[in-house]
Amino acid sequence: MTTHTLEKSESSEAIPTRSSRLSLLLTPPFGPLLFLFIICVIFTVLPLLRGQEQRFLTVQNFALIFQQTAVVGVLAIGQTLIILTAGIDLSNGLVMALTSVITAGLAVHGFGPRGEALYVDPIVAMLIGLGVASLAGFINGLLVTRLKLPPFIVTLGTLNIAFALTRMYTTTTINGLPQPLLALGSAITVFGARVPLYALVMLVLFFVVWFILRETRIGRHIYAVGDNREAAALVGIPVNRVLLLVYTSAGFLYGIAALLLLARQENGDPQAGQTSNLESITAVVLGGTSLFGGRGHVMGTLIGALVVSVIRNGLTQQGANPIIQTFITGILVIAAVAVDQLSQRSR
Amino acid sequence: MPADYTTTPVIEARSLTKYFGHVVALDRCDFEVYAGEILAIIGDNGAGKSTLIKALCGALQPDSGQIFLEGKPVHFRSPMDARNAGIETVYQNLAVSPALNITENLFLGREVLRPGFLGRVLRMIDRKTMRTQSEEFMKSLKFRIQDMNVSVESLSGGQRQGVAVARSAAFARKVIIMDEPTAALGVKESRMVLDLIREIRDRGLPVILISHNMPHVFELADRVHIQRLGRRLAIIDPKQYSMSDAVALMTGAKTLANAEQV
């Protein structure tokens, strides 16, 4: 906002240039969706060219892709909310791990040192799990708003704390989960493919959060807080309350992800979620949400998460070394952040 | 409609004093602004302009003295208090949210909710109403914008500031305070904002304008409040004084001859 404002204004009054049309194509929601479409076409055509049986473009395979996306997808919803406020959450995978072992432990062993002490109803265990995850998010939010610490550092701290607490609670996998914890793993048949309920839970959550962000007052305030925090405060938006709500809701979503994880793995695994933080950030970034905050769409995150799953799935079917998928994901993340960075600079 | 100076001022301040440690920022400072006028406040750096403004918009509390809104004493503990009382402030350049569109910026923090269940329970916003209202409002201010759905970052600097000014005008019921509204703008850009300020004044809403830009002050203001050493030195009529007189007064190079003594 200094001397170059005038020149900039004159250029912005001109008709859309070629670069602005290009950036329209690259920016969400079109860019990520187009990209997802292209890789789907590639993996559909490849078996045809190589004379293989079509295994990619089948209902069963897409059901599998959704199933593989569910847990990281739900984590990435929470991550999207936080990144929209110009924050970041490194702790989500380990908060999920902590929640899942606590839920599993309570449901299987009950309260007490070796369990036998006090029986806990599995439903109560699930509610306690959701409470623990929400509390973890709430603590992140308090540290970010009250102590004004950078989210990166706060969640790096809570990442370690959650990891330690998980290991203090159990170092071994908790097996023999009771039925209510596995209920989300039961499947319904859609177009002849069996889709587990937890994959549908993910889709429902994406739609709910999409609706909230787009159509409700709090949704618009989340964007405003991430876009220009000072302006938001000046018009009277309770910035700290919005942030606290975002971090707590994200925690709640990590709790749901933990329940999906239990239903999917059918055990409580203290090793779970160690790379989920980066996977969820990857999904958000590939979905076109800006790390600078205030711009992006939660549906982009769904697409970003699907892109990672589709690449993994397609390469596996092509018999490629699975590590290539990680390599490609790395390149995509850098490319997506570069697009964000460049469009930020052009503003 | 010309301002009527025999009526009760919209905002009046008597003997405001504010200390920062041992420094006197405001020294028994008086102030008033009347309906239908643009009152400019000029003064050298450290004269207490921004302290005065912050006291009027609730951003800080004076140590002593009294503020009256339409004759009634008021105490603003926060900018929110002042805003709820109908006093809006336009800040230099922090005021807009670039990624949001014009309508969203105009209604930021004051979104209109959908009627009935959708609004009351789901807290859903009413896009259509907000869009129509903002279009009508911008038209009434003669502020030309083709599309209310473009993000504010795609506007020119002047248009952006125009959005910030329009937002304050839309919600101010008593007075608008503008702190250096043209400071970051070029010549053409400033013109647009100056026209907008005049348009707001003509609708009867008083405008308090803080500016270092003497040509803008002398072009727009109905009266000029000269602040010096924490006090109001004089109020002058810009038609009877030259810019160099005003600058000489505010820097102390010249003393009052026949300015309205206060």
Side-chain angles (χ1 to χ4, degrees):
Chain A
M1 274 289 170
T2 47
T3 44
H4 64 274
T5 320
L6 187 66
E7 298 148 43
K8 199 176 155 190
S9 69
E10 277 166 359
S11 66
S12 71
E13 272 156 26
I15 356 158
T17 53
R18 198 167 56 93
S19 71
S20 79
R21 247 178 281 139
L22 182 71
S23 70
L24 182 72
L25 210 62
L26 288 172
T27 48
F30 304 108
L33 196 59
L34 186 68
F35 187 74
L36 179 64
F37 181 73
I38 290 171
I39 55 173
C40 283
V41 169
I42 291 174
F43 286 124
T44 308
V45 172
L46 267 180
L48 299 178
L49 294 178
R50 302 174 77 178
Q52 295 162 332
E53 180 197 352
Q54 179 62 264
R55 282 181 301 152
F56 182 80
L57 196 63
T58 63
V59 183
Q60 282 85 353
N61 191 41
F62 275 85
L64 180 69
I65 288 171
F66 271 97
Q67 188 177 328
Q68 288 166 341
T69 311
V71 172
V72 75
V74 173
L75 288 177
I77 298 175
Q79 189 72 264
T80 308
L81 292 174
I82 289 175
I83 289 182
L84 278 176
T85 66
I88 196 142
D89 190 350
L90 299 179
S91 69
N92 59 6
L94 290 161
V95 168
M96 172 180 76
L98 176 64
T99 309
S100 68
V101 294
I102 287 179
T103 309
L106 288 176
V108 174
H109 305 301
F111 275 115
R114 277 288 115 221
E116 43 306 302
L118 182 62
Y119 168 79
V120 178
D121 187 89
I123 302 288
V124 175
M126 288 162 91
L127 292 176
I128 291 175
L130 288 175
V132 167
S134 308
L135 181 67
F138 181 72
I139 290 170
N140 278 338
L142 272 186
L143 292 170
V144 168
T145 55
R146 300 292 156 208
L147 295 186
K148 312 258 177 242
L149 301 176
F152 186 89
I153 301 300
V154 166
T155 58
L156 186 62
T158 45
L159 172 153
N160 283 299
I161 294 168
F163 181 70
L165 288 176
T166 309
R167 291 309 179 87
M168 285 193 252
Y169 190 79
T170 178
T171 49
T172 54
T173 304
I174 300 165
N175 289 306
L177 301 187
Q179 182 47 43
L181 266 60
L182 303 174
L184 287 172
S186 55
I188 56 164
T189 307
V190 183
F191 300 118
R194 292 181 62 71
V195 183
L197 286 177
Y198 60 77
L200 300 176
V201 168
M202 171 195 74
L203 285 180
V204 168
L205 287 175
F206 266 105
F207 275 102
V208 168
V209 173
W210 169 81
F211 175 83
I212 291 172
L213 283 176
R214 200 187 129 79
E215 293 297 335
T216 71
R217 177 179 278 172
I218 180 69
R220 302 323 296 172
H221 288 183
I222 290 172
Y223 279 91
V225 165
D227 190 25
N228 185 344
R229 193 162 297 180
E230 283 172 276
L234 286 174
V235 297
I237 293 175
V239 171
N240 281 348
R241 225 186 304 158
V242 171
L243 287 173
L244 208 52
L245 182 73
V246 161
Y247 280 88
T248 310
S249 317
F252 179 77
L253 286 163
Y254 306 152
I256 303 227
L259 299 184
L260 304 194
L261 182 77
L262 288 175
R264 181 168 151 77
Q265 295 201 343
E266 303 190 349
N267 61 37
D269 179 5
Q271 309 277 2
Q274 294 187 10
T275 57
S276 302
N277 51 3
L278 302 183
E279 286 161 20
S280 66
I281 294 169
T282 301
V284 174
V285 167
L286 290 183
T289 293
S290 168
L291 291 173
F292 301 101
R295 301 152 207 273
H297 304 272
V298 73
M299 283 305 172
T301 300
L302 174 60
I303 293 164
L306 287 173
V307 163
V308 177
S309 298
V310 164
I311 291 177
R312 182 188 301 145
N313 175 281
L315 286 176
T316 311
Q317 287 182 351
Q318 290 302 310
N321 185 341
I323 209 69
I324 293 203
Q325 174 259 325
T326 313
F327 184 85
I328 293 179
T329 307
I331 292 175
L332 289 180
V333 167
I334 293 171
V337 175
V339 169
D340 178 26
Q341 192 76 259
L342 287 174
S343 64
Q344 189 78 16
R345 228 173 282 158
S346 74
R347 280 175 199 124
Chain B
M1 135 197 124
D4 179 357
Y5 297 111
T6 60
T7 55
T8 314
V10 176
I11 297 187
E12 182 178 3
R14 284 287 153 251
S15 206
L16 292 184
T17 303
K18 178 75 189 176
Y19 287 91
F20 292 113
H22 293 295
V23 181
V24 194
L26 285 180
D27 180 15
R28 290 161 290 152
C29 181
D30 293 335
F31 172 88
E32 62 265 342
V33 63
Y34 292 88
E37 73 166 339
I38 297 174
L39 174 76
I41 301 179
I42 62 172
D44 209 354
N45 289 339
K49 282 177 308 200
S50 45
T51 312
L52 173 60
I53 286 315
K54 283 180 181 160
L56 296 179
C57 74
L60 58 77
Q61 287 72 49
D63 296 326
S64 65
Q66 184 59 269
I67 299 172
F68 302 90
L69 183 63
E70 292 179 332
K72 288 190 257 324
V74 284
H75 297 277
F76 299 135
R77 269 153 303 156
S78 71
M80 257 338 245
D81 277 0
R83 185 178 297 128
N84 291 336
I87 300 171
E88 286 284 327
T89 310
V90 180
Y91 300 90
Q92 281 192 35
N93 49 16
L94 304 164
V96 291
S97 198
L100 302 185
N101 70 33
I102 297 170
T103 303
E104 286 173 327
N105 265 285
L106 285 178
F107 283 93
L108 195 58
R110 286 181 267 226
E111 293 82 0
V112 177
L113 294 179
R114 298 263 286 254
F117 174 81
L118 294 179
R120 262 207 314 282
V121 180
L122 297 182
R123 317 298 288 167
M124 276 179 77
I125 52 172
D126 192 340
R127 276 171 205 286
K128 230 170 109 188
T129 305
M130 287 194 281
R131 170 134 29 100
T132 352
Q133 283 184 10
S134 49
E135 266 165 11
E136 279 169 16
F137 185 71
M138 288 306 225
K139 205 184 282 170
S140 79
L141 286 177
K142 306 194 177 72
F143 188 77
R144 269 167 309 150
I145 278 185
Q146 307 83 330
D147 184 0
M148 303 299 288
N149 283 329
V150 299
S151 66
V152 164
E153 70 200 352
S154 67
L155 301 177
S156 71
Q159 287 173 320
R160 270 186 234 191
Q161 187 64 297
V163 170
V165 171
R167 172 171 62 202
S168 298
F171 292 101
R173 298 186 314 280
K174 299 290 156 65
V175 65
I176 298 190
I177 300 170
M178 299 199 200
D179 190 1
E180 299 280 1
T182 56
L185 305 180
V187 176
K188 244 166 66 184
E189 310 258 79
S190 299
R191 179 66 27 215
M192 182 165 20
V193 173
L194 297 183
D195 289 344
L196 196 55
I197 294 173
R198 211 177 274 123
E199 192 63 44
I200 289 167
R201 187 262 321 267
D202 292 346
R203 293 154 65 98
L205 202 59
V207 176
I208 302 170
L209 173 71
I210 299 94
S211 182
H212 273 108
N213 187 318
M214 288 299 149
H216 290 170
V217 165
F218 273 73
E219 182 192 329
L220 277 186
D222 298 300
R223 297 189 306 148
V224 179
H225 166 132
I226 301 178
Q227 183 80 11
R228 182 166 158 72
L229 304 175
R231 308 195 60 169
R232 179 168 68 181
L233 179 72
I235 296 172
I236 60 169
D237 179 347
K239 286 179 208 72
Q240 289 169 15
Y241 281 80
S242 70
M243 280 185 227
S244 51
D245 286 341
V247 173
L249 282 170
M250 80 184 216
T251 55
K254 194 173 168 184
T255 46
L256 287 165
N258 55 345
E260 184 192 330
Q261 201 88 34
V262 282

